[in-house]
Every structure is written in structure tokens, then in C-alpha cells.
Amino acid sequence: MKTWNWISGFLLLAGASVWGIWVWQQPTNQPGQPFQWTYGPARADYTLTLYSDLECPYCKAFQPIAKHWIDNTEGVNLRWHHLPLDGHGSVAVQEALLAECNGQVNGNEAFWITIDAVFALTRSNGQGMDGELERIPSWTDQTVRDCMAWPETMAKLQEQIQAAHWAGITATPTSTLTDNRTGKSVKLEGLSSPEALDSAVDWLVRE
């Protein structure tokens, strides 16, 4: 058994889960780069953007729900937005950089495999991963390691964090469902059920 030792972060102060859905107005002049990691069809009528932290236990629980919904719903795709929380320390940041760099070096599929593998292996709440790290593509690849150390990669991650904060999103998991034809969106907080995601689509259809 292999263990990747990172500096442990603070434990997440977990309260009761909150679910919510309301009209979302995207702020203008929002900083940050366009999303590039897409699960599902490249073009879709609706995009579920997931603001997530790889050390967040609620994000870990929501990830398979979101992917299952994408797999079983026509005309939707999923986009990832990094939002490592301060309470999870450097661990969540390093995991985000690992996924980001695996995607940059090895492509979109490697990014999503890394996301799923980190969620499967992490003990959550800043404790990091423990177990079969060879499940992560190229996790010992020097090119990936070099990418993780580049200031440009950290700057890109910081831009995504700032973009989320600019949009008023500070908790994970948070997701926005956007109608790509009209630009209208709704925001959902917490562990949204497939039924809640279906209801968000229905709301956008009616508007």
C-alpha cells in the first residue's frame, strides 16, 4: 500500500446539508479562464457546472450522482470548476493541481479519471489520499509533477477560486445549470438529487 503524504489541512466544520435552487444571474466581468474539462457531449443544450473540492466529503458523495445524471439525461453535460476550500489546507490544492495537470498533459479523459480516483482514495477533510495511488494516471510522471510546480498552473487555479468567490460561491458542492441557448441559469447548493436536477431543467424550459 502506498501513501501520498501531504500537509494535513484543518478539518471541515460540517453543518447540516443545505439544498437550494434559485435564479442565477452570472456576474459581468468575472475573472478566470473558460472551463475546459467537460464530461458528456462536447455540445449540449444544458451544462451543469460543478464547483467542487476534492477533500470535501459532500462533493465526494455528489460526484457519482452528477455523472449518473449526465449519463442518463439527454442534452446535458458536466463541467468542473476547482474550488479547494481554505479549511482543507494544501491537500485540496495539491489534489486540484494533480487533476488539472493530468488533464493538461494527458487530456480530458485523464482529468476525469483523476477526479474519480482522488475521490475514491481520499479520506476527506484535508486528510489526503491513502491506498492504490497507481489508479491515478501518470501520478509519478515527472511532466505532471513539473506542471504542478509551475506558477502559471497555480495562477490558473487561483483564478478559478477567485471567479467562484466573485460569483458569490464559497461552499461546496455548489452547481449551476445553464441553458446554453438562452444563457439563463439556476444555482443549486448541496447534494442535489437527480429529481432536483430534473426540476432545474424543467424550470429553465418554462422560462
Side-chain angles (χ1 to χ4, degrees):
M1 178 176 292
K2 300 177 183 178
T3 303
W4 197 345
N5 292 317
W6 286 327
I7 300 173
S8 298
F10 296 104
L11 292 177
L12 174 68
L13 299 177
S17 298
V18 177
W19 287 269
I21 177 171
W22 56 86
V23 182
W24 177 246
Q25 298 294 332
Q26 187 71 16
T28 57
N29 300 319
Q30 183 173 335
Q33 298 296 319
F35 305 109
Q36 57 178 311
W37 309 121
T38 301
Y39 178 81
R43 295 180 179 272
D45 291 339
Y46 301 94
T47 293
L48 183 69
T49 300
L50 178 56
Y51 296 78
S52 194
D53 173 347
L54 288 163
E55 282 294 299
C56 164
Y58 303 115
C59 301
K60 180 175 181 174
F62 183 54
Q63 181 72 8
I65 296 173
K67 291 184 68 177
H68 183 267
W69 184 73
I70 296 297
D71 289 339
N72 292 275
T73 306
E74 185 177 355
V76 297
N77 61 17
L78 176 67
R79 288 181 180 171
W80 180 274
H81 191 115
H82 295 291
L83 185 54
L85 302 176
D86 290 342
H88 294 152
S90 64
V91 176
V93 171
Q94 288 298 311
E95 289 171 347
L97 291 172
L98 173 63
E100 182 67 28
C101 287
N102 230 328
Q104 290 188 31
V105 173
N106 297 304
N108 188 71
E109 182 179 0
F111 174 85
W112 290 103
I113 292 174
T114 304
I115 292 294
D116 290 343
V118 172
F119 273 138
L121 295 170
T122 185
R123 294 163 292 180
S124 299
N125 291 327
Q127 298 181 76
M129 294 183 289
D130 187 14
E132 301 172 357
L133 298 183
E134 60 269 17
R135 293 170 59 179
I136 300 173
S138 305
W139 76 278
T140 59
D141 190 314
Q142 189 60 46
T143 305
V144 174
R145 294 294 171 180
D146 289 344
C147 170
M148 291 172 66
W150 291 340
E152 295 84 356
T153 310
M154 178 61 78
K156 181 175 181 179
L157 178 61
Q158 290 296 330
E159 285 175 350
Q160 288 221 335
I161 295 170
Q162 292 169 7
H165 291 170
W166 183 272
I169 296 173
T170 57
T172 59
T174 296
S175 52
T176 60
L177 183 69
T178 302
D179 186 332
N180 294 319
R181 300 162 298 182
T182 66
K184 293 182 178 179
S185 297
V186 292
K187 182 169 70 171
L188 304 98
E189 291 185 342
L191 291 170
S192 301
S193 66
E195 293 77 15
L197 295 170
D198 288 340
S199 295
V201 172
D202 292 341
W203 187 89
L204 289 171
V205 169
R206 293 193 302 268
E207 288 300 309

